[in-house]
Amino acid sequence: MGIFDWKHWVVILVVVVLVFGTKKLKNLGTDVGESIKGFKKAMNDDEKPAEPTVTPAQPVPPVQPQASVNQPHTIDVQAQKVEEPIRKDV
């Protein structure tokens, strides 16, 4: 007679029914079942490929670059190391 004997499970079931009542256990079972169905549905929705988007009938003409204040400016410089003489009077 081990810990997982069927008699032990019957006693545990009777105690759970007495503590929670059959109505709460029924609601709990319904809630768990609905959450599992929702989870399965969400998993199946993720596996389906996304529907293709509608493309416009006429292509949009490319935008010509314009000189603007908002465009970044690049400054081309080369860094040089400057050695300063060591001052001894400090």
Side-chain angles (χ1 to χ4, degrees):
M1 190 163 171
I3 192 167
F4 296 112
D5 190 30
W6 67 274
K7 295 174 189 173
H8 291 119
W9 288 110
V10 170
V11 171
I12 292 172
L13 180 63
V14 169
V15 170
V16 168
V17 169
L18 289 175
V19 170
F20 293 106
T22 56
K23 187 173 182 179
K24 285 187 180 180
L25 291 177
K26 180 183 173 189
N27 291 341
L28 178 68
T30 304
D31 292 343
V32 170
E34 289 176 0
S35 64
I36 290 173
K37 285 180 186 177
F39 178 75
K40 285 182 180 179
K41 182 180 177 187
M43 291 301 292
N44 288 336
D45 289 346
D46 288 344
E47 292 175 0
K48 292 180 184 176
E51 294 185 18
T53 58
V54 178
T55 57
Q58 294 182 355
V60 178
V63 177
Q64 298 295 326
Q66 299 175 356
S68 173
V69 178
N70 295 334
Q71 290 182 346
H73 300 286
T74 304
I75 300 173
D76 191 15
V77 296
Q78 182 177 2
Q80 296 178 354
K81 184 176 181 180
V82 178
E83 293 191 27
E84 298 180 15
I86 300 174
R87 295 182 10 191
K88 295 186 179 187
D89 58 320
V90 177

